[in-house]
């Protein structure tokens, strides 16, 4: 009867520990064409080196400042994994970073991703990276590299996590600081495409507590499954905003992410100014109304947790408001005139009627930022 090998006799491989170098190499080969499709001036999007290169001069900048941002997708990934909806999360990943760059006036130039999992499923990973490449295409930036980490024991079987890193550039005299914002300016709101990537811990809690059937048509939209409405990718606003930024037509931008309207708009205001947002200025989306009703969520909590249908706030001079709104509309955005800037302590007040936001409450929520 043969004896099992002693610890000193057994030959181990990395695969024995749950890591497949071959699978990782296969993924790199598969995603190479996806990365090349995001090629832009300054980057050739070749993968496989130890780092990605970018030529600022070739991109047309003369005296640039670099602006960097990184982010993830959050617990929206749990729904993607549970319901096999991986095709949009890469767009979310790019959007969270690229939209944060554009609010400072920076053009996104290149992107790197980090994909970590317990065991690499090349089919799922390729779908995710294809989505990242699509987000880069929408943002006009090149996917020049990334990292795939297979870490058994770190993640539950089937789980993965994403992180994104984006670098952009802006000419030194074109940095958007918001310091020219003054009382009398107008706040425009660009419509969101849904929940985007914030508030999903609450969404998932409601789904579990209320027993939502995510694979069935939504109660408020018989033509679409509820899971598909929840997983709609984050809208990327770069292409619409860049031409106006280059013309100097915009005073300030606020990407409406975690913290919602109340906490993000004040981030771009100078001291001595206060944003007043009229919640009756746009129609609440049926998805947002559904979330609010299902959780009996107070209006102030809605304004701090979700984007409430507005993914980007745009501050412009009153005389420029109609022209900027028309240009953004022509670029494919749904534009609402949502408020104004007044003199006062830096912060944001959101007001609206009971008919718009709640059957039981007026919307009067104030958050002072500073």
């Amino acid at each position: 009867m043969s004896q099992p090998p002693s610890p000193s006799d057994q030959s181990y491989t990395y695969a024995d520990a749950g890591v497949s170098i071959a699978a990782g190499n296969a993924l790199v080969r598969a995603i190479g064409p996806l990365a090349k499709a995001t090629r832009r001036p300054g980057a050739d999007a070749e993968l496989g080196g130890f780092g990605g290169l970018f030529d600022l001069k070739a991109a047309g900048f003369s005296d640039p400042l670099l602006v960097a941002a990184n982010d993830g997708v959050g617990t929206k990934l749990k729904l993607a994994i549970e319901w096999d909806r991986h095709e949009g999360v890469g767009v979310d990943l790019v959007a969270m970073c690229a939209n944060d760059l554009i609010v400072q006036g920076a053009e996104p130039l290149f992107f790197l991703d980090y994909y970590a999992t317990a065991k690499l499923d090349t089919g799922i990973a390729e779908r995710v990276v294809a989505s990242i490449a699509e987000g880069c295409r929408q943002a006009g930036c090149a996917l020049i590299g990334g990292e795939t980490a297979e870490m058994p024991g770190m993640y539950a079987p089937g789980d993965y996590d994403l992180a994104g890193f984006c670098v952009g550039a802006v000419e030194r005299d074109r940095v958007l600081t918001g310091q020219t914002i003054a009382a009398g300016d107008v706040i425009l709101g660009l419509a969101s495409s849904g929940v985007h990537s914030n508030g999903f811990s609450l969404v998932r809690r409601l789904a579990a507590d209320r027993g939502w059937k995510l694979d069935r048509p939504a109660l408020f939209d018989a033509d679409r499954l509820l899971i598909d409405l929840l997983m709609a990718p984050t809208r990327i606003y770069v292409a619409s905003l860049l031409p106006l930024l280059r013309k100097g037509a915009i005073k300030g931008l606020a990407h409406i992410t975690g913290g919602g309207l109340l906490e993000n708009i004040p981030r771009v205001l100078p001291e001595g100014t206060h944003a007043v947002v009229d919640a009756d200025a746009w129609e609440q989306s049926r998805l947002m109304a559904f979330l609010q009703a299902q959780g009996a969520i107070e209006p102030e909590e809605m304004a701090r947790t979700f984007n409430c249908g507005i993914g980007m706030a745009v501050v412009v001079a009153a005389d420029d408001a109609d022209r900027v709104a028309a240009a953004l509309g022509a670029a494919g955005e749904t534009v609402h005139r949502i408020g104004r800037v007044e003199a006062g302590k830096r912060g944001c007040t959101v007001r609206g009627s009971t008919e718009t936001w709640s059957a039981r409450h007026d919307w009067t929520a104030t958050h002072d930022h500073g």
Side-chain angles (χ1 to χ4, degrees):
M1 184 175 178
S2 61
Q3 297 294 321
S6 66
S8 60
D9 295 332
Q10 185 173 352
S11 176
Y12 286 86
T13 66
Y14 212 0
D16 292 329
V19 179
S20 173
I21 294 175
N25 290 337
L27 177 62
V28 171
R29 290 192 297 271
I31 66 179
L34 300 173
K36 288 182 179 180
T38 67
R39 195 174 276 167
R40 57 150 293 154
D44 59 14
E46 294 289 345
L47 297 182
F50 287 94
L53 301 176
F54 193 91
D55 185 346
L56 277 171
K57 186 175 181 180
F61 289 90
S62 57
D63 185 24
L65 293 175
L66 294 178
V67 185
N70 73 293
D71 211 332
V73 181
T75 59
K76 189 175 186 177
L77 287 180
K78 292 294 290 183
L79 289 180
I81 293 164
E82 291 165 6
W83 293 91
D84 193 32
R85 295 298 199 276
H86 309 284
E87 284 74 14
V89 293
V91 176
D92 289 307
L93 186 68
V94 176
M96 289 298 102
C97 299
N99 286 341
D100 277 355
L101 294 184
I102 198 69
V103 301
Q104 296 176 85
E107 175 186 355
L109 300 177
F110 59 88
F111 191 88
L112 299 98
D113 68 276
Y114 177 77
Y115 180 100
T117 185
K119 182 174 177 58
L120 184 61
D121 182 321
T122 55
I124 290 177
E126 188 173 348
R127 290 161 67 190
V128 171
V129 177
S131 178
I132 294 172
E134 169 59 21
C136 288
R137 186 195 65 77
Q138 293 181 25
C141 60
L143 178 60
I144 66 171
E147 172 70 11
T148 302
E150 198 172 19
M151 298 187 288
M154 184 68 73
Y155 297 94
D159 280 356
Y160 65 85
D161 198 9
L162 293 175
F165 310 85
C166 196
V167 174
V170 57
E171 296 291 0
R172 192 178 302 271
D173 59 353
R174 292 285 180 159
V175 178
L176 200 62
T177 65
Q179 290 305 305
T180 64
I181 293 174
D185 288 342
V186 169
I187 305 172
L188 304 175
L190 306 187
S192 66
S193 54
V195 185
H196 286 185
S197 287
N198 298 100
F200 271 88
S201 293
L202 179 53
V203 169
R204 291 171 53 246
R205 174 66 181 271
L206 288 174
D209 288 356
R210 299 290 185 260
W212 293 351
K213 305 298 184 183
L214 299 183
D215 57 347
R216 296 183 183 177
L219 295 175
F220 52 89
D221 189 341
D223 295 327
R224 297 185 67 186
L225 301 182
L226 181 54
I227 183 60
D228 292 333
L229 289 164
L230 293 172
M231 293 301 296
T234 303
R235 187 163 182 83
I236 295 175
Y237 301 97
V238 172
S240 301
L241 292 170
L242 262 180
L244 290 164
L245 288 171
R246 289 168 176 159
K247 294 176 182 178
I250 294 173
K251 288 189 167 191
L253 293 168
H255 184 198
I256 309 304
T257 56
L261 296 161
L262 290 175
E263 295 190 8
N264 283 291
I265 294 177
R267 294 171 66 180
V268 302
L269 299 178
E271 291 294 343
T273 58
H274 190 95
V276 178
V277 174
D278 177 11
D280 291 331
W282 72 98
E283 184 177 357
Q284 177 72 299
S285 75
R286 289 178 292 176
L287 174 57
M288 290 292 169
F290 170 77
L291 293 174
Q292 184 175 15
Q294 286 284 297
I297 303 172
E298 294 292 338
E300 183 172 353
E301 183 70 13
M302 283 292 294
R304 184 169 278 110
T305 303
F306 298 111
N307 62 55
C308 296
I310 302 296
M312 183 73 71
V314 184
V315 184
V316 297
D319 291 343
D320 294 333
D322 290 341
R323 176 173 61 87
V324 171
L328 288 168
E333 303 296 343
T334 299
V335 188
H336 307 283
R337 189 162 175 154
I338 66 171
R340 64 191 183 278
V341 178
E342 298 182 350
K345 184 178 180 181
R346 186 168 70 169
C348 180
T349 299
V350 182
R351 298 193 180 103
S353 70
T354 56
E355 295 177 358
T356 300
W357 288 99
S358 171
R360 296 175 293 121
H361 299 280
D362 283 330
W363 179 298
T364 305
T366 302
H367 175 74
D368 290 323
H369 180 95

PDB file of all heavy atoms in Angstrom, residues 273-294:
ATOM      1  N   THR A 273     -21.387  81.947  -0.561  1.00  0.00           N
ATOM      2  CA  THR A 273     -22.447  81.620  -1.517  1.00  0.00           C
ATOM      3  C   THR A 273     -23.186  80.367  -1.062  1.00  0.00           C
ATOM      4  O   THR A 273     -22.617  79.477  -0.425  1.00  0.00           O
ATOM      5  CB  THR A 273     -21.888  81.390  -2.932  1.00  0.00           C
ATOM      6  OG1 THR A 273     -20.922  80.335  -2.911  1.00  0.00           O
ATOM      7  CG2 THR A 273     -21.256  82.655  -3.474  1.00  0.00           C
ATOM      8  N   HIS A 274     -24.467  80.307  -1.418  1.00  0.00           N
ATOM      9  CA  HIS A 274     -25.340  79.225  -0.982  1.00  0.00           C
ATOM     10  C   HIS A 274     -26.204  78.793  -2.159  1.00  0.00           C
ATOM     11  O   HIS A 274     -26.803  79.624  -2.842  1.00  0.00           O
ATOM     12  CB  HIS A 274     -26.230  79.702   0.170  1.00  0.00           C
ATOM     13  CG  HIS A 274     -26.997  78.615   0.840  1.00  0.00           C
ATOM     14  ND1 HIS A 274     -26.551  77.970   1.971  1.00  0.00           N
ATOM     15  CD2 HIS A 274     -28.199  78.049   0.535  1.00  0.00           C
ATOM     16  CE1 HIS A 274     -27.428  77.057   2.340  1.00  0.00           C
ATOM     17  NE2 HIS A 274     -28.447  77.084   1.492  1.00  0.00           N
ATOM     18  N   ALA A 275     -26.287  77.491  -2.405  1.00  0.00           N
ATOM     19  CA  ALA A 275     -27.104  76.963  -3.494  1.00  0.00           C
ATOM     20  C   ALA A 275     -28.522  76.707  -3.008  1.00  0.00           C
ATOM     21  O   ALA A 275     -28.724  76.110  -1.942  1.00  0.00           O
ATOM     22  CB  ALA A 275     -26.501  75.677  -4.036  1.00  0.00           C
ATOM     23  N   VAL A 276     -29.507  77.137  -3.790  1.00  0.00           N
ATOM     24  CA  VAL A 276     -30.913  76.861  -3.506  1.00  0.00           C
ATOM     25  C   VAL A 276     -31.469  76.073  -4.687  1.00  0.00           C
ATOM     26  O   VAL A 276     -31.497  76.565  -5.821  1.00  0.00           O
ATOM     27  CB  VAL A 276     -31.715  78.152  -3.295  1.00  0.00           C
ATOM     28  CG1 VAL A 276     -33.191  77.824  -3.058  1.00  0.00           C
ATOM     29  CG2 VAL A 276     -31.154  78.950  -2.128  1.00  0.00           C
ATOM     30  N   VAL A 277     -31.871  74.840  -4.418  1.00  0.00           N
ATOM     31  CA  VAL A 277     -32.346  73.940  -5.470  1.00  0.00           C
ATOM     32  C   VAL A 277     -33.852  73.759  -5.332  1.00  0.00           C
ATOM     33  O   VAL A 277     -34.365  73.521  -4.234  1.00  0.00           O
ATOM     34  CB  VAL A 277     -31.631  72.576  -5.379  1.00  0.00           C
ATOM     35  CG1 VAL A 277     -32.227  71.581  -6.371  1.00  0.00           C
ATOM     36  CG2 VAL A 277     -30.133  72.747  -5.634  1.00  0.00           C
ATOM     37  N   ASP A 278     -34.561  73.872  -6.453  1.00  0.00           N
ATOM     38  CA  ASP A 278     -36.005  73.710  -6.492  1.00  0.00           C
ATOM     39  C   ASP A 278     -36.324  72.302  -6.987  1.00  0.00           C
ATOM     40  O   ASP A 278     -36.179  71.997  -8.175  1.00  0.00           O
ATOM     41  CB  ASP A 278     -36.615  74.756  -7.424  1.00  0.00           C
ATOM     42  CG  ASP A 278     -38.132  74.606  -7.575  1.00  0.00           C
ATOM     43  OD1 ASP A 278     -38.728  73.826  -6.799  1.00  0.00           O
ATOM     44  OD2 ASP A 278     -38.692  75.270  -8.460  1.00  0.00           O
ATOM     45  N   ALA A 279     -36.774  71.430  -6.100  1.00  0.00           N
ATOM     46  CA  ALA A 279     -37.053  70.043  -6.465  1.00  0.00           C
ATOM     47  C   ALA A 279     -38.261  69.909  -7.385  1.00  0.00           C
ATOM     48  O   ALA A 279     -38.475  68.839  -7.969  1.00  0.00           O
ATOM     49  CB  ALA A 279     -37.263  69.205  -5.204  1.00  0.00           C
ATOM     50  N   ASP A 280     -39.062  70.962  -7.534  1.00  0.00           N
ATOM     51  CA  ASP A 280     -40.187  70.927  -8.461  1.00  0.00           C
ATOM     52  C   ASP A 280     -39.762  71.241  -9.895  1.00  0.00           C
ATOM     53  O   ASP A 280     -40.583  71.185 -10.805  1.00  0.00           O
ATOM     54  CB  ASP A 280     -41.245  71.949  -8.038  1.00  0.00           C
ATOM     55  CG  ASP A 280     -41.939  71.552  -6.751  1.00  0.00           C
ATOM     56  OD1 ASP A 280     -42.041  70.339  -6.491  1.00  0.00           O
ATOM     57  OD2 ASP A 280     -42.362  72.452  -6.011  1.00  0.00           O
ATOM     58  N   ALA A 281     -38.492  71.565 -10.092  1.00  0.00           N
ATOM     59  CA  ALA A 281     -38.020  71.971 -11.412  1.00  0.00           C
ATOM     60  C   ALA A 281     -37.845  70.793 -12.362  1.00  0.00           C
ATOM     61  O   ALA A 281     -37.688  70.991 -13.563  1.00  0.00           O
ATOM     62  CB  ALA A 281     -36.707  72.743 -11.281  1.00  0.00           C
ATOM     63  N   TRP A 282     -37.820  69.587 -11.848  1.00  0.00           N
ATOM     64  CA  TRP A 282     -37.745  68.415 -12.717  1.00  0.00           C
ATOM     65  C   TRP A 282     -38.642  67.330 -12.163  1.00  0.00           C
ATOM     66  O   TRP A 282     -38.902  67.264 -10.970  1.00  0.00           O
ATOM     67  CB  TRP A 282     -36.303  67.933 -12.865  1.00  0.00           C
ATOM     68  CG  TRP A 282     -35.701  67.259 -11.654  1.00  0.00           C
ATOM     69  CD1 TRP A 282     -35.603  65.909 -11.415  1.00  0.00           C
ATOM     70  CD2 TRP A 282     -35.096  67.888 -10.515  1.00  0.00           C
ATOM     71  NE1 TRP A 282     -34.985  65.659 -10.219  1.00  0.00           N
ATOM     72  CE2 TRP A 282     -34.651  66.858  -9.640  1.00  0.00           C
ATOM     73  CE3 TRP A 282     -34.879  69.224 -10.145  1.00  0.00           C
ATOM     74  CZ2 TRP A 282     -34.025  67.124  -8.429  1.00  0.00           C
ATOM     75  CZ3 TRP A 282     -34.247  69.485  -8.938  1.00  0.00           C
ATOM     76  CH2 TRP A 282     -33.834  68.447  -8.091  1.00  0.00           C
ATOM     77  N   GLU A 283     -39.121  66.479 -13.055  1.00  0.00           N
ATOM     78  CA  GLU A 283     -40.020  65.406 -12.649  1.00  0.00           C
ATOM     79  C   GLU A 283     -39.217  64.260 -12.058  1.00  0.00           C
ATOM     80  O   GLU A 283     -38.281  63.753 -12.677  1.00  0.00           O
ATOM     81  CB  GLU A 283     -40.825  64.909 -13.851  1.00  0.00           C
ATOM     82  CG  GLU A 283     -41.865  63.860 -13.489  1.00  0.00           C
ATOM     83  CD  GLU A 283     -42.699  63.428 -14.678  1.00  0.00           C
ATOM     84  OE1 GLU A 283     -42.497  63.999 -15.778  1.00  0.00           O
ATOM     85  OE2 GLU A 283     -43.551  62.535 -14.512  1.00  0.00           O
ATOM     86  N   GLN A 284     -39.594  63.853 -10.874  1.00  0.00           N
ATOM     87  CA  GLN A 284     -38.916  62.735 -10.225  1.00  0.00           C
ATOM     88  C   GLN A 284     -39.086  61.469 -11.060  1.00  0.00           C
ATOM     89  O   GLN A 284     -40.186  61.167 -11.529  1.00  0.00           O
ATOM     90  CB  GLN A 284     -39.515  62.534  -8.831  1.00  0.00           C
ATOM     91  CG  GLN A 284     -38.955  61.356  -8.064  1.00  0.00           C
ATOM     92  CD  GLN A 284     -37.544  61.604  -7.593  1.00  0.00           C
ATOM     93  OE1 GLN A 284     -36.649  61.803  -8.390  1.00  0.00           O
ATOM     94  NE2 GLN A 284     -37.335  61.587  -6.290  1.00  0.00           N
ATOM     95  N   SER A 285     -37.994  60.747 -11.290  1.00  0.00           N
ATOM     96  CA  SER A 285     -38.088  59.517 -12.065  1.00  0.00           C
ATOM     97  C   SER A 285     -38.914  58.482 -11.310  1.00  0.00           C
ATOM     98  O   SER A 285     -38.979  58.484 -10.077  1.00  0.00           O
ATOM     99  CB  SER A 285     -36.687  58.958 -12.353  1.00  0.00           C
ATOM    100  OG  SER A 285     -36.145  58.355 -11.189  1.00  0.00           O
ATOM    101  N   ARG A 286     -39.544  57.597 -12.054  1.00  0.00           N
ATOM    102  CA  ARG A 286     -40.377  56.576 -11.431  1.00  0.00           C
ATOM    103  C   ARG A 286     -39.534  55.630 -10.575  1.00  0.00           C
ATOM    104  O   ARG A 286     -40.014  55.121  -9.558  1.00  0.00           O
ATOM    105  CB  ARG A 286     -41.153  55.810 -12.508  1.00  0.00           C
ATOM    106  CG  ARG A 286     -42.255  56.654 -13.164  1.00  0.00           C
ATOM    107  CD  ARG A 286     -42.971  55.903 -14.256  1.00  0.00           C
ATOM    108  NE  ARG A 286     -42.082  55.660 -15.396  1.00  0.00           N
ATOM    109  CZ  ARG A 286     -42.439  54.943 -16.468  1.00  0.00           C
ATOM    110  NH1 ARG A 286     -43.647  54.417 -16.546  1.00  0.00           N
ATOM    111  NH2 ARG A 286     -41.585  54.770 -17.457  1.00  0.00           N
ATOM    112  N   LEU A 287     -38.288  55.405 -10.987  1.00  0.00           N
ATOM    113  CA  LEU A 287     -37.414  54.543 -10.194  1.00  0.00           C
ATOM    114  C   LEU A 287     -37.122  55.185  -8.844  1.00  0.00           C
ATOM    115  O   LEU A 287     -37.188  54.522  -7.793  1.00  0.00           O
ATOM    116  CB  LEU A 287     -36.110  54.274 -10.949  1.00  0.00           C
ATOM    117  CG  LEU A 287     -35.033  53.490 -10.190  1.00  0.00           C
ATOM    118  CD1 LEU A 287     -35.560  52.141  -9.727  1.00  0.00           C
ATOM    119  CD2 LEU A 287     -33.787  53.328 -11.055  1.00  0.00           C
ATOM    120  N   MET A 288     -36.790  56.479  -8.841  1.00  0.00           N
ATOM    121  CA  MET A 288     -36.500  57.157  -7.587  1.00  0.00           C
ATOM    122  C   MET A 288     -37.743  57.223  -6.701  1.00  0.00           C
ATOM    123  O   MET A 288     -37.672  57.036  -5.476  1.00  0.00           O
ATOM    124  CB  MET A 288     -35.966  58.569  -7.852  1.00  0.00           C
ATOM    125  CG  MET A 288     -34.577  58.598  -8.459  1.00  0.00           C
ATOM    126  SD  MET A 288     -33.311  58.030  -7.294  1.00  0.00           S
ATOM    127  CE  MET A 288     -31.907  57.861  -8.418  1.00  0.00           C
ATOM    128  N   ALA A 289     -38.905  57.481  -7.312  1.00  0.00           N
ATOM    129  CA  ALA A 289     -40.151  57.511  -6.542  1.00  0.00           C
ATOM    130  C   ALA A 289     -40.443  56.138  -5.939  1.00  0.00           C
ATOM    131  O   ALA A 289     -40.930  56.032  -4.805  1.00  0.00           O
ATOM    132  CB  ALA A 289     -41.300  57.965  -7.436  1.00  0.00           C
ATOM    133  N   PHE A 290     -40.140  55.077  -6.686  1.00  0.00           N
ATOM    134  CA  PHE A 290     -40.332  53.710  -6.201  1.00  0.00           C
ATOM    135  C   PHE A 290     -39.445  53.449  -4.982  1.00  0.00           C
ATOM    136  O   PHE A 290     -39.902  52.915  -3.968  1.00  0.00           O
ATOM    137  CB  PHE A 290     -40.005  52.737  -7.329  1.00  0.00           C
ATOM    138  CG  PHE A 290     -39.937  51.294  -6.910  1.00  0.00           C
ATOM    139  CD1 PHE A 290     -41.096  50.564  -6.682  1.00  0.00           C
ATOM    140  CD2 PHE A 290     -38.711  50.658  -6.762  1.00  0.00           C
ATOM    141  CE1 PHE A 290     -41.037  49.227  -6.309  1.00  0.00           C
ATOM    142  CE2 PHE A 290     -38.643  49.326  -6.393  1.00  0.00           C
ATOM    143  CZ  PHE A 290     -39.803  48.607  -6.162  1.00  0.00           C
ATOM    144  N   LEU A 291     -38.176  53.831  -5.076  1.00  0.00           N
ATOM    145  CA  LEU A 291     -37.257  53.624  -3.954  1.00  0.00           C
ATOM    146  C   LEU A 291     -37.737  54.377  -2.722  1.00  0.00           C
ATOM    147  O   LEU A 291     -37.731  53.845  -1.604  1.00  0.00           O
ATOM    148  CB  LEU A 291     -35.847  54.072  -4.341  1.00  0.00           C
ATOM    149  CG  LEU A 291     -35.130  53.260  -5.422  1.00  0.00           C
ATOM    150  CD1 LEU A 291     -33.813  53.926  -5.795  1.00  0.00           C
ATOM    151  CD2 LEU A 291     -34.891  51.826  -4.970  1.00  0.00           C
ATOM    152  N   GLN A 292     -38.144  55.638  -2.917  1.00  0.00           N
ATOM    153  CA  GLN A 292     -38.583  56.441  -1.787  1.00  0.00           C
ATOM    154  C   GLN A 292     -39.811  55.833  -1.125  1.00  0.00           C
ATOM    155  O   GLN A 292     -39.896  55.740   0.110  1.00  0.00           O
ATOM    156  CB  GLN A 292     -38.877  57.871  -2.236  1.00  0.00           C
ATOM    157  CG  GLN A 292     -39.245  58.789  -1.079  1.00  0.00           C
ATOM    158  CD  GLN A 292     -39.422  60.231  -1.511  1.00  0.00           C
ATOM    159  OE1 GLN A 292     -39.545  60.525  -2.685  1.00  0.00           O
ATOM    160  NE2 GLN A 292     -39.430  61.132  -0.542  1.00  0.00           N
ATOM    161  N   ALA A 293     -40.769  55.391  -1.946  1.00  0.00           N
ATOM    162  CA  ALA A 293     -42.001  54.826  -1.402  1.00  0.00           C
ATOM    163  C   ALA A 293     -41.747  53.491  -0.708  1.00  0.00           C
ATOM    164  O   ALA A 293     -42.305  53.225   0.362  1.00  0.00           O
ATOM    165  CB  ALA A 293     -43.027  54.651  -2.525  1.00  0.00           C
ATOM    166  N   GLN A 294     -40.898  52.654  -1.309  1.00  0.00           N
ATOM    167  CA  GLN A 294     -40.638  51.339  -0.742  1.00  0.00           C
ATOM    168  C   GLN A 294     -39.956  51.430   0.620  1.00  0.00           C
ATOM    169  O   GLN A 294     -40.172  50.587   1.487  1.00  0.00           O
ATOM    170  CB  GLN A 294     -39.769  50.525  -1.700  1.00  0.00           C
ATOM    171  CG  GLN A 294     -40.498  50.027  -2.927  1.00  0.00           C
ATOM    172  CD  GLN A 294     -41.392  48.841  -2.625  1.00  0.00           C
ATOM    173  OE1 GLN A 294     -40.935  47.788  -2.224  1.00  0.00           O
ATOM    174  NE2 GLN A 294     -42.691  49.012  -2.826  1.00  0.00           N
TER     175      GLN A 294
END
